[in-house]
Amino acid sequence: MVVGGCAAALLATAAGPAYAVDNLPPKQPLVQDLQSKGKPCATGEDTPYVPEPPRLSAMLYDPEEDNQPAESSPVKGEFEAWWTDGAGVEQRRTHTTLTLRSGSRHYWTMPDDIPANTVISWHVRANDGEANSAWSDEGDGSVCSFVYDDVSPEKAVISSPEYPDDDYWTDGVGVYGHFTMDSPSDDVVSYMYDFVGGFSRTVSAEHPGAAVTIPYLPLGSGPDRLRVRAIDRSGRSSGDSYYKFLVTSGRAPVARWKLDDPAGSRSAAAETGTAARAGTGVTFGGPAPSGTGTTATVGLDGSGHGFLTTDAPATDLRKSFAVSGWARPAETGRNMTTASQDAAEEPGFTLGLRNQETGPAWSFAIGGATVSGGAPETGEWAHLLGLYDAETGRARLYVNGHEVGTAAEATPTEAAGAFQIGRARGAVGYRDRWHGDIGDVRVHDRVVVPDEVTELALRKPKLLGYWSLENAVDGTSPERSGGAPLRLGAGASIYRDSDGPCRPEEDPDCPPVPPALVGQGHLSLDGEKGYAAADGPVVDTTESFTLGVVVRLADSDPARPMTVLSQAGEYTDVFKVRYEPSTYSWQLVMPERDEVGAPEKVVAQIKSSEGGQVRRLAVVYDDGTDSITLYLGGSTKATASLPHGLRSTGALQIGRAKAGDGWGEYLHGDVDEVQAYSGALRDRDVPFLGTGTDFCPC
């Protein structure tokens, strides 16, 4: 007996310590762990509405003290729901879930026979097989409730005072409309809506059943449509309601001074609005920005006599308005105003140039807000547009068709004083007088939308040269409009489809020959000394320009860089477009300065497969945005900042680049459709380059 007892003790010791822990009941379910169809547990006024018999859920836990090492505590849930039926009798349903690990979520999908539009309450408790937890609504807990809504809301009725649903065209682009959505159902809490071409949005009602009004700014003219769905508090949706309306083009300016009056004039005629009398420091008949419809401008000398004024307001600054014009500063070292409107001892707004710690910037100030951006340059034209949107309460500034700075909240005050060109009201007299040129000042009493801003600032590019490279006479290939031809160097020739050794349709054994790149011919370069060149620089590289070209490399795996286009300064190439085989990319390369041995920098590059493929390339320098862009295929692009272009004095080169005192990077391949413009083509126009078709970059 003693031996047996010892053996039993030894076995117990080897098996590890023994545990004797009393079972603890599961934890009371917490209200924050309970949901009715994914909606948090709530009751009373916060009772959630659901569109179908919901799935109730609860997280259930057993105390960790119950667990043995490497064990988990399984629990099951006991749900109970109750309500009062139409006869006043209480009804109850219960459900017990499967047994799951502690910390699992337990579910009960309510039966289909539960009544609609009735408050149904529920609670839950956990059971570990030996003991129950407290119900979830005991003590500090709370009962959960829901209402099953089985009826979808009625369709919304839509109306708008500005844009009625009829067959009449209504004013217009840049003018807000206000659209009211109202469903007859009294439980609608939000509306889902979208306009043609827009994203779907949702707006909430102030309280169930309340109508909702939204603002909408038409950005283009033509037929438009609003589609609306009413959403009730259960999430049920009505059918679609449609509201169709017709939007006209944007209203003309309420005031416009072209400022193209004859030299010697003493006032500026108004196309609309009031004529502006001119001070003696104003000179009419000045130069106009190229590529625009403006034919002349006024010069202001920056003195107390350099101004124009209407002696009357142009518009109500407390409503939406825009003011715009062309400006060319003769200096940038001080604050200067292109346009303003008087208030009491201060301007209601100012549009012009402001000096900041970081340097001069264009500026639009109104109602305590200032928006600044862009980089004014002495002697350089810029199109400015300041916009105040009364619907959003924000001021914006556009320079050369692009928004700059950050839109700012503004609260304009009444400014019923005179409209000013070239000065701003101060506490004592006028200040910030303009020194430079101003043209085509306009005032709109509405929002000028982005597409309109772009058109106002557009400087239409001018074609400088178009060499289709279809033929050559006496070593030159003509320009299509009779301009200066391209001279062909040794190793360069014009290939035409008819130049093949034979014709495949006549000789089945005729070897395949690549067709002309575009049209019937192209320029072929031998890669050793072949090139073509203009008689001088074609584009002014200090101003906006565009160059386009079509190229095909002859080698499938080139061994060295090869230049397609270049134009030199006094000592080095101001730019060159080349293929770099080491990175499999087309590159735009520029020097840091026009000096012998100046370091070159790849300012933009686009990766592409190597030879054998026809590539359409373009370079666009936009002096207005201080950017230069390399395009491949008309859509793929890489853009770099270029505040100042270097001046080029050398001829445009096709197929070679500067190399010390000579030339290098000769292209082995074919070139076609060389096109050059003064001015920057827009993204939408670049794809037309190199297609062999005439187009208008309007």
Side-chain angles (χ1 to χ4, degrees):
M1 293 295 294
V2 174
V3 173
C6 291
L10 288 171
L11 287 172
T13 301
Y19 293 87
V21 179
D22 292 335
N23 180 65
L24 297 176
K27 294 182 179 181
Q28 180 183 12
L30 300 176
V31 172
Q32 59 263 37
D33 291 336
L34 312 182
Q35 295 179 347
S36 302
K37 191 175 173 55
K39 298 182 178 182
C41 172
T43 192
E45 293 183 356
D46 297 324
T47 296
Y49 284 70
V50 294
E52 58 189 16
R55 185 168 71 160
L56 312 181
S57 71
M59 295 283 289
L60 303 179
Y61 298 90
D62 199 44
E64 294 181 1
E65 291 83 351
D66 278 1
N67 297 346
Q68 304 298 331
E71 291 184 354
S72 63
S73 298
V75 292
K76 58 186 175 182
E78 296 180 359
F79 287 85
E80 185 176 46
W82 63 93
W83 64 90
T84 300
D85 65 17
V89 178
E90 182 180 83
Q91 302 292 329
R92 286 185 177 265
R93 297 284 191 277
T94 61
H95 174 75
T96 300
T97 69
L98 297 173
T99 300
L100 302 173
R101 293 172 61 116
S102 173
S104 298
R105 184 168 288 277
H106 294 245
Y107 298 94
W108 177 26
T109 299
M110 295 296 293
D112 292 338
D113 63 349
I114 62 172
N117 303 310
T118 301
V119 176
I120 299 177
S121 302
W122 64 277
H123 60 190
V124 64
R125 68 183 179 184
N127 180 282
D128 64 2
E130 297 184 26
N132 292 319
S133 71
W135 287 103
S136 55
D137 56 341
E138 292 185 45
D140 293 333
S142 172
V143 70
C144 302
S145 301
F146 67 86
V147 175
Y148 163 43
D149 183 356
D150 64 345
V151 177
S152 296
E154 295 185 50
K155 290 183 178 182
V157 177
I158 309 169
S159 61
S160 170
E162 297 90 357
Y163 294 98
D165 184 354
D166 56 25
D167 294 329
Y168 294 96
W169 291 86
T170 311
D171 184 36
V173 172
V175 175
Y176 278 95
H178 298 83
F179 295 81
T180 298
M181 302 171 282
D182 190 7
S183 168
S185 300
D186 60 6
D187 61 346
V188 169
V189 295
S190 63
Y191 293 89
M192 184 184 304
Y193 69 93
D194 65 80
F195 291 90
V196 172
F199 296 105
S200 178
R201 302 175 184 272
T202 299
V203 60
S204 298
E206 187 173 340
H207 57 79
V212 171
T213 299
I214 58 167
Y216 173 64
L217 182 67
L219 300 180
S221 60
D224 209 336
R225 179 270 300 150
L226 170 60
R227 178 174 60 182
V228 176
R229 284 190 174 191
I231 311 296
D232 69 16
R233 55 194 166 187
S234 74
R236 282 183 172 272
S237 170
S238 71
D240 289 333
S241 297
Y242 291 94
Y243 187 89
K244 299 177 181 179
F245 54 102
L246 303 174
V247 181
T248 63
S249 300
R251 289 199 300 261
V254 291
R256 182 184 182 186
W257 302 270
K258 291 185 176 181
L259 303 177
D260 59 356
D261 306 83
S265 297
R266 294 275 38 98
S267 66
E271 183 177 81
T272 54
T274 306
R277 62 182 176 87
T280 57
V282 177
T283 302
F284 286 86
S290 62
T292 70
T294 301
T295 57
T297 61
V298 294
L300 282 65
D301 64 5
S303 73
H305 302 288
F307 68 90
L308 297 99
T309 182
T310 60
D311 296 317
T315 190
D316 186 347
L317 305 187
R318 295 167 298 181
K319 300 178 181 179
S320 294
F321 79 94
V323 57
S324 64
W326 288 97
R328 184 171 71 163
E331 57 179 301
T332 58
R334 62 181 179 86
N335 294 345
M336 297 195 297
T337 300
T338 58
S340 69
Q341 186 163 301
D342 293 350
E345 298 186 349
E346 63 179 359
F349 81 87
T350 59
L351 177 67
L353 184 157
R354 291 292 177 268
N355 263 289
Q356 303 175 333
E357 292 183 1
T358 55
W362 298 113
S363 173
F364 177 55
I366 180 173
T370 300
V371 185
S372 300
E377 295 183 31
T378 299
E380 182 177 293
W381 284 107
H383 186 270
L384 311 179
L385 186 143
L387 170 67
Y388 171 65
D389 185 334
E391 190 76 35
T392 64
R394 289 181 173 270
R396 299 179 182 273
L397 173 63
Y398 296 83
V399 177
N400 294 317
H402 300 272
E403 185 172 5
V404 299
T406 302
E409 299 285 345
T411 307
T413 56
E414 183 176 1
F419 187 83
Q420 307 289 339
I421 297 174
R423 64 182 183 178
R425 183 82 172 178
V428 180
Y430 288 90
R431 55 179 171 81
D432 301 341
R433 302 174 187 276
W434 184 262
H435 183 200
D437 303 310
I438 298 176
D440 197 9
V441 174
R442 310 187 193 200
V443 180
H444 287 82
D445 64 344
R446 61 176 177 86
V447 174
V448 176
V449 302
D451 282 351
E452 294 176 313
V453 176
T454 300
E455 291 302 316
L456 286 173
L458 178 64
R459 300 183 68 173
K460 181 180 176 181
K462 178 183 178 182
L463 183 64
L464 300 174
Y466 185 170
W467 296 273
S468 56
L469 298 167
E470 294 285 302
N471 51 64
V473 178
D474 296 330
T476 64
S477 186
E479 196 273 332
R480 285 181 56 167
S481 300
L486 292 177
R487 292 181 293 101
L488 275 56
S493 61
I494 296 297
Y495 168 82
R496 293 186 59 81
D497 284 340
S498 59
D499 293 342
C502 54
R503 302 181 66 84
E505 63 271 20
E506 298 175 357
D507 183 359
D509 297 324
C510 182
V513 177
L517 295 183
V518 181
Q520 300 299 311
H522 60 237
L523 175 67
S524 290
L525 302 172
D526 64 4
E528 297 178 0
K529 53 185 178 181
Y531 73 94
D535 290 335
V538 173
V539 294
D540 181 350
T541 52
T542 64
E543 302 286 346
S544 297
F545 71 84
T546 300
L547 282 168
V549 66
V550 179
V551 62
R552 176 174 58 201
L553 302 182
D555 304 313
S556 60
D557 188 12
R560 56 178 176 78
M562 292 186 290
T563 292
V564 184
L565 297 174
S566 70
Q567 193 167 292
E570 186 174 358
Y571 300 103
T572 186
D573 284 324
V574 167
F575 75 86
K576 60 183 175 183
V577 179
R578 72 179 183 189
Y579 184 76
E580 174 51 71
S582 65
T583 58
Y584 300 101
S585 61
W586 293 99
Q587 298 179 336
L588 174 61
V589 181
M590 305 185 75
E592 294 184 1
R593 52 194 177 276
D594 187 9
E595 297 178 3
V596 176
E600 290 184 334
K601 180 180 180 181
V602 177
V603 298
Q605 70 175 356
I606 302 173
K607 288 190 175 296
S608 173
S609 58
E610 53 273 28
Q613 302 295 319
V614 177
R615 301 300 185 197
R616 290 188 293 123
L617 304 172
V619 177
V620 177
Y621 173 46
D622 189 339
D623 193 26
T625 59
D626 292 333
S627 63
I628 190 164
T629 302
L630 174 66
Y631 291 83
L632 174 64
S635 56
T636 305
K637 64 180 182 178
T639 300
S641 174
L642 186 63
H644 303 286
L646 295 175
R647 183 171 298 280
S648 174
T649 56
L652 177 67
Q653 303 287 330
I654 318 297
R656 67 178 183 177
K658 278 276 192 179
D661 293 333
W663 300 95
E665 294 190 2
Y666 282 94
L667 176 72
H668 185 206
D670 305 320
V671 176
D672 210 348
E673 294 290 297
V674 177
Q675 293 170 261
Y677 290 84
S678 64
L681 261 66
R682 291 175 289 182
D683 280 351
R684 75 183 193 189
D685 294 326
V686 170
F688 291 97
L689 293 174
T691 60
T693 58
D694 293 322
F695 77 101
C696 174
C698 301

